[in-house]
């Protein structure tokens, strides 16, 4: 979503005298293990931790940062820009520049002070204390869907039965979406996170969500309620200085920052646990291990692997490599979380490790504001599945499952049939 750079240009990332062959990005994940990142990541960490690459869709040059320490360095550097409209920004999905230059940037693509003004309204609403107060309602939503699973009897598709609807309904709760609108909300959000959707269908869903959220915020401006969006509207009225479009933008940040992540983590995280039955049994026997297991799942999967991207506004050195002003950087959180220097035996899933230093939610000023919501939601989902469906297992061979490719968020593509 930035200006195109001519793919035939002779000057590559690293300067005209650098003859190192760039990687093509993104790379394919390992076919033998759906949980593993592309094999090139380990190669980069070992010998070329700040590597040059070119984006497959545009041929645009970019730097790839693969080690944990360097990833934190980049994501914590406030001199680097997240602005999609900057000519050097490494946008990873095809989009005409004329469209990008016209759109209102989402929060994830804003720099201070615009980003700070919006985050200041949102962050206090998503503290761990606030989210823990939501735990009984999250539990109720999960229990209702597990009740339906048990009533239907196995096999059921865990994606449609649990992974899609639970995050959608929770965000209805946060946004104050009326119950009668929840089906529309779920339908549109499911379209927006599919990997097989056509561009016209995707744009129509985005437009439908934009219209709906505008109407929702307009209604809340003159109503009295006790939900996150209404409180944000009130705080903004008292001195925030943002217009309705800005508030809609905050709502979209909540939706897309937490819904897609949680939905994919529920499905893929359940699959990881089922593929590690000894550790699954430990969690069932001792539920106090579940919060740590959630952190390890977040680290091990790092499903939003290449989402954090930046463009430099001044010359900077990262991992011993000089990166010139105006060059793009993609932080590979999936690689950073598999860095043995940060996490011993990092390719091994281990619910007993201290995984809290992972960067699955990003880092710095753009760290996912909904991280606490996702954490608590995953804790409730996995604890409930273990307690209420102790015999949960795959209903099909692992080899028959399909996984997403070519998307910014990794996950199960299609169904995840389970039984008990």
């Amino acid at each position: 979503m930035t200006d195109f750079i001519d793919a035939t240009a002779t000057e590559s990332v690293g300067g005209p005298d650098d003859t190192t062959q760039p990687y093509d990005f993104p790379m394919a994940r390992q076919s033998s293990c759906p949980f593993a990142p592309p094999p090139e990541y380990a190669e980069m960490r070992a010998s070329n931790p700040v590597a040059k690459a070119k984006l497959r869709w545009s041929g645009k040059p970019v730097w790839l940062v693969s080690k944990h320490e360097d990833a934190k360095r980049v994501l914590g550097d406030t001199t680097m820009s997240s602005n999609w409209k900057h000519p050097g920004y490494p946008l990873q999905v095809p989009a005409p520049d004329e469209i990008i230059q016209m759109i209102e940037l989402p929060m994830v693509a804003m720099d201070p002070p615009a980003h700070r003004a919006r985050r200041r309204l949102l962050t206090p609403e998503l503290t761990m204390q606030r989210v823990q107060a939501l735990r009984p309602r999250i539990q109720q939503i999960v229990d209702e869907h597990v009740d339906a699973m048990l009533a239907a009897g196995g096999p059921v598709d865990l994606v449609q039965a649990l992974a899609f609807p639970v995050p959608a309904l929770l965000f209805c709760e946060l946004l104050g979406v009326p119950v009668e609108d929840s089906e529309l909300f779920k339908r549109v959000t499911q379209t927006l996170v599919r990997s097989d959707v056509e561009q016209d269908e995707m744009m129509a869903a985005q437009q439908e969500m934009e219209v709906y959220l505008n109407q929702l915020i307009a209604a809340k401006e003159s109503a009295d309620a006790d939900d996150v969006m209404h409180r944000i509207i009130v705080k903004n009225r008292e001195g925030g200085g943002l217009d309705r479009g800005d508030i809609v933008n905050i709502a979209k940040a909540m939706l897309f920052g937490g819904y897609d992540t949680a939905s994919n983590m529920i499905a893929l995280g359940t699959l990881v646990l089922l593929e590690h039955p000894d550790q699954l049994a430990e969690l069932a026997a001792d539920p106090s291990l579940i919060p740590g297991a959630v952190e390890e799942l977040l680290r091990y999967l790092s499903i939003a692997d290449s989402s954090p991207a930046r463009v430099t506004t001044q010359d900077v050195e990262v991992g011993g490599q000089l990166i010139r002003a105006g060059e793009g950087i993609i932080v590979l959180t999936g690689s950073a979380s598999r860095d043995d220097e940060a996490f011993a035996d990092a390719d091994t899933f281990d619910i007993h490790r201290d995984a809290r230093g992972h960067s699955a939610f990003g880092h710095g000023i753009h760290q996912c504001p909904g991280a606490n919501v996702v954490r608590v939601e995953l804790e409730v989902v996995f604890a409930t599945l273990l307690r209420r469906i102790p015999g949960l297992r795959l209903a099909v061979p692992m080899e028959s499952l399909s996984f997403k490719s070519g998307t910014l968020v990794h996950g199960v593509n299609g169904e995840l049939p389970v039984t008990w």
Side-chain angles (χ1 to χ4, degrees), residues 300-329:
Y300 185 68
L301 294 170
S302 292
I303 60 174
D305 168 40
S306 63
S307 295
R310 301 289 188 270
V311 57
T312 55
T313 59
Q314 60 189 42
D315 290 359
V316 63
E317 186 176 296
V318 179
Q321 173 65 57
L322 176 64
I323 301 177
R324 298 291 186 184
E327 294 182 340
I329 301 174

Side-chain angles (χ1 to χ4, degrees), residues 152-209:
V156 299
D157 174 17
L158 190 78
V159 173
Q160 292 297 330
L162 196 70
F164 269 159
V166 167
L169 288 174
L170 176 55
F171 273 85
C172 286
E173 192 84 11
L174 291 170
L175 296 174
V177 172
V179 173
E180 58 269 25
D181 293 345
S182 62
E183 289 304 315
L184 175 148
F185 193 82
K186 285 191 290 184
R187 173 179 56 79
V188 174
T189 50
Q190 286 183 25
T191 299
L192 293 173
V193 300
R194 279 168 45 201
S195 62
D196 60 346
V197 65
E198 295 294 332
Q199 185 174 6
D200 288 349
E201 186 181 357
M202 176 70 75
M203 292 183 68
Q206 289 175 335
Q207 180 62 24
E208 187 173 3
M209 182 60 74

Side-chain angles (χ1 to χ4, degrees), residues 279-303:
Q279 297 188 64
L280 184 67
E282 283 192 77
L283 292 174
D286 184 1
S288 70
L289 296 173
I290 288 176
V294 165
E295 295 302 321
E296 174 65 349
L297 284 167
L298 290 164
R299 179 203 70 85
Y300 185 68
L301 294 170
S302 292
I303 60 174

Side-chain angles (χ1 to χ4, degrees), residues 4-339:
F4 294 107
I5 289 182
D6 186 355
T8 64
T10 57
E11 180 172 336
S12 64
V13 172
D17 297 326
D18 188 341
T19 58
T20 305
Q21 183 66 29
Y23 290 94
D24 286 325
F25 187 83
M27 300 92 164
R29 286 178 174 263
Q30 296 182 24
S31 58
S32 60
C33 179
F35 313 133
E40 291 90 345
Y41 287 11
E43 176 185 302
M44 282 188 282
R45 288 196 305 273
S47 60
N48 197 9
V50 183
K52 66 176 184 176
K54 60 179 180 179
L55 298 177
R56 289 183 183 274
W57 81 272
S58 65
K60 187 170 189 171
V62 66
W63 291 102
L64 302 179
V65 173
S66 57
K67 289 189 71 63
H68 185 265
E69 182 178 354
D70 295 335
K72 290 292 184 76
R73 155 83 173 84
V74 170
L75 297 179
D77 189 338
T78 56
T79 70
M80 296 189 188
S81 174
S82 300
N83 189 347
W84 292 352
K85 298 184 181 185
H86 190 291
Y89 185 87
L91 190 75
Q92 298 174 62
V93 294
D97 183 61
E98 59 270 21
I99 298 297
I100 296 306
Q101 297 302 325
M102 292 173 55
I103 66 170
E104 182 179 355
L105 291 173
M107 276 181 63
V108 70
M110 290 181 178
D111 295 326
H115 175 266
R116 187 183 305 116
R118 289 150 182 79
R119 184 134 182 156
R120 188 182 296 121
L121 288 174
L122 177 57
T123 301
E125 295 297 331
L126 300 177
T127 62
M128 184 54 79
Q129 183 178 3
R130 287 269 194 183
V131 175
Q132 290 290 8
L134 280 172
R135 187 180 282 267
R137 176 56 180 148
I138 299 172
Q139 184 67 65
Q140 182 182 5
I141 292 171
V142 173
D143 278 333
E144 288 170 355
H145 286 81
V146 172
D147 286 344
M149 288 173 61
L150 292 171
V156 299
D157 174 17
L158 190 78
V159 173
Q160 292 297 330
L162 196 70
F164 269 159
V166 167
L169 288 174
L170 176 55
F171 273 85
C172 286
E173 192 84 11
L174 291 170
L175 296 174
V177 172
V179 173
E180 58 269 25
D181 293 345
S182 62
E183 289 304 315
L184 175 148
F185 193 82
K186 285 191 290 184
R187 173 179 56 79
V188 174
T189 50
Q190 286 183 25
T191 299
L192 293 173
V193 300
R194 279 168 45 201
S195 62
D196 60 346
V197 65
E198 295 294 332
Q199 185 174 6
D200 288 349
E201 186 181 357
M202 176 70 75
M203 292 183 68
Q206 289 175 335
Q207 180 62 24
E208 187 173 3
M209 182 60 74
E210 183 82 21
V211 170
Y212 177 81
L213 290 176
N214 266 284
Q215 294 172 343
L216 178 70
I217 300 306
K220 287 181 174 298
E221 288 172 344
S222 58
D224 187 21
D226 185 25
D227 56 64
V228 170
M229 288 315 304
H230 186 266
R231 292 195 294 269
I232 286 175
I233 289 169
V234 171
K235 284 191 293 184
N236 182 59
R237 189 182 296 145
E238 294 170 350
L242 304 181
D243 61 24
R244 182 182 298 167
D246 294 321
I247 304 301
V248 170
N249 212 330
I250 292 174
K252 288 191 290 186
M254 291 174 59
L255 172 63
F256 299 121
Y259 173 79
D260 199 10
T261 303
S263 178
N264 283 285
M265 278 298 303
I266 289 171
L268 204 56
T270 299
L271 185 57
V272 171
L273 294 175
L274 293 177
E275 289 296 297
H276 294 81
D278 292 346
Q279 297 188 64
L280 184 67
E282 283 192 77
L283 292 174
D286 184 1
S288 70
L289 296 173
I290 288 176
V294 165
E295 295 302 321
E296 174 65 349
L297 284 167
L298 290 164
R299 179 203 70 85
Y300 185 68
L301 294 170
S302 292
I303 60 174
D305 168 40
S306 63
S307 295
R310 301 289 188 270
V311 57
T312 55
T313 59
Q314 60 189 42
D315 290 359
V316 63
E317 186 176 296
V318 179
Q321 173 65 57
L322 176 64
I323 301 177
R324 298 291 186 184
E327 294 182 340
I329 301 174
I330 292 175
V331 175
L332 304 175
T333 58
S335 177
S337 291
R338 295 297 183 103
D339 187 349

